[in-house]
Amino acid sequence: MKKLVTSLLSLAVVAGLSGAALAQEAASNGAEPAKHAEGETPHFPLLHPKHEHWTFAGPVGHYDKGQLQRGLKVYTEVCAACHSMSLVPFRTLGALGYSDAQVKAFAANYEVQDGPNASGDMFTRKAIPSDYFPSPFPNHEAAAAANNGAAPPDFSLIAKARGIERGFPQFLFDMIPFVGGYQEGGPDYIYSLLTGYDQQPPASVQVAQGTHYNPYFAGAAALAMPKPLSDGQVTYDDGAPATVDQYAKDVASFLMWAAEPHLEERKRTGFMVMVFLVIFTGLIYLTKRSVYANKEH
């Protein structure tokens, strides 16, 4: 009986893994959104985010500083017109490879509100490295009014907040660092969303006026934000391709860094802890053998 139950469970796990893998492959190849019966509530996103390869993936992943610098350029020239990063100070840009002078010069391109002064009035001044990326709008209501009623979200933690679970049974393995350790759901989602605007909605999907169809959007079949990127929009200093695909990868990596700037340190610490535990386990085993070597069992 036990063998029968074990066999059935094994078959169920294999079938689940196979089904999930096929679904993921179909989604990454641009499969059509799932068709829902009339009156049935659809599940969003209509397509699972594409699974990209990132330098910071895996237990020993690391950030590519060149890519982060390109992502910062895309953010400042495109995304910053609508999206703030109110939790990211300018001084942290030194981790991207910039000198203190470069960080200071970069911060000076922005103006922030300060005060009150001796007269009790607020005033505007140039930003310094200890300041945070300012919002392009004075308040949430102004942001919503300028964007057809939909206030653009803050980008400080967007790469961690927008992660899409891959479903059963994959999410079980995603939680185990040295087996799956998939923690790139946010960047995958951002990349897929930014490159998913050119698809045509199927006949079964109704797109409201003033919105834009994107099967990777987690909230609905369409969103208020129009396609933000186009080829040749941003010129890279290092000669990287000026394409939507490259822009999307670079800004997704930058936003992952903004959300988790200490990722490399965390992974190094985790790796050393795992090595220590392996050595410690070996020492415990050898100690046990030594203690009980002459004991009768």
Side-chain angles (χ1 to χ4, degrees):
M1 184 64 182
K2 291 182 178 179
K3 290 183 178 180
L4 177 60
V5 173
T6 303
S7 301
L8 291 175
L9 289 175
S10 300
L11 289 173
V13 171
V14 171
L17 288 172
S18 301
L22 290 174
Q24 181 70 18
E25 181 180 358
S28 63
N29 291 333
E32 287 295 322
K35 294 180 172 61
H36 304 281
E38 185 175 354
E40 181 182 353
T41 301
H43 297 282
F44 302 108
L46 297 177
L47 288 182
H48 290 290
K50 307 169 187 175
H51 184 51
E52 287 297 307
H53 298 286
W54 308 98
T55 61
F56 48 82
V60 293
H62 65 282
Y63 287 122
D64 180 346
K65 291 185 178 180
Q67 186 174 51
L68 296 183
Q69 291 182 9
R70 294 195 302 268
L72 172 63
K73 189 175 181 67
V74 175
Y75 169 77
T76 55
E77 295 188 12
V78 181
C79 310
C82 298
H83 298 275
S84 61
M85 286 204 306
S86 59
L87 301 179
V88 180
F90 292 110
R91 65 175 180 270
T92 59
L93 296 179
L96 274 60
Y98 295 111
S99 65
D100 291 343
Q102 289 175 313
V103 172
K104 185 176 181 180
F106 181 88
N109 294 324
Y110 293 83
E111 290 188 343
V112 296
Q113 190 179 55
D114 201 352
N117 56 19
S119 301
D121 299 323
M122 303 299 290
F123 60 93
T124 300
R125 60 167 175 78
K126 288 187 176 182
I128 57 177
S130 60
D131 289 317
Y132 292 75
F133 278 84
S135 171
F137 305 102
N139 50 61
H140 183 272
E141 288 72 20
N147 291 275
N148 297 322
D154 184 88
F155 270 3
S156 302
L157 303 175
I158 198 74
K160 303 293 286 187
R162 291 295 189 269
I164 304 296
E165 288 188 357
R166 297 198 288 179
F168 181 83
Q170 287 176 303
F171 81 92
L172 295 176
F173 299 98
D174 292 344
M175 295 186 294
I176 307 175
F178 286 88
V179 175
Y182 176 73
Q183 299 176 352
E184 294 75 54
D188 281 346
Y189 174 74
I190 294 170
Y191 168 78
S192 299
L193 183 73
L194 293 175
T195 57
Y197 276 92
D198 294 330
Q199 302 186 43
Q200 293 298 320
S204 59
V205 175
Q206 299 295 326
V207 179
Q209 185 176 2
T211 62
H212 308 270
Y213 175 71
N214 194 315
Y216 298 106
F217 183 48
L223 68 164
M225 181 178 72
K227 181 179 179 181
L229 299 173
S230 58
D231 291 345
Q233 186 174 359
V234 178
T235 302
Y236 285 142
D237 300 328
D238 61 359
T243 62
V244 170
D245 185 81
Q246 188 67 51
Y247 296 153
K249 288 180 180 177
D250 293 341
V251 76
S253 296
F254 171 72
L255 294 177
M256 181 63 181
W257 169 83
E260 194 170 1
H262 303 296
L263 175 142
E264 294 176 329
E265 180 181 350
R266 173 176 63 81
K267 291 192 175 187
R268 283 196 300 268
T269 302
F271 184 78
M272 288 188 293
V273 168
M274 294 301 295
V275 172
F276 168 78
L277 290 176
V278 170
I279 296 174
F280 183 71
T281 301
L283 292 175
I284 291 294
Y285 173 73
L286 294 176
T287 301
K288 176 182 177 299
R289 288 198 61 180
S290 177
V291 170
Y292 290 96
N294 299 320
K295 300 289 185 180
E296 294 183 1
H297 297 284

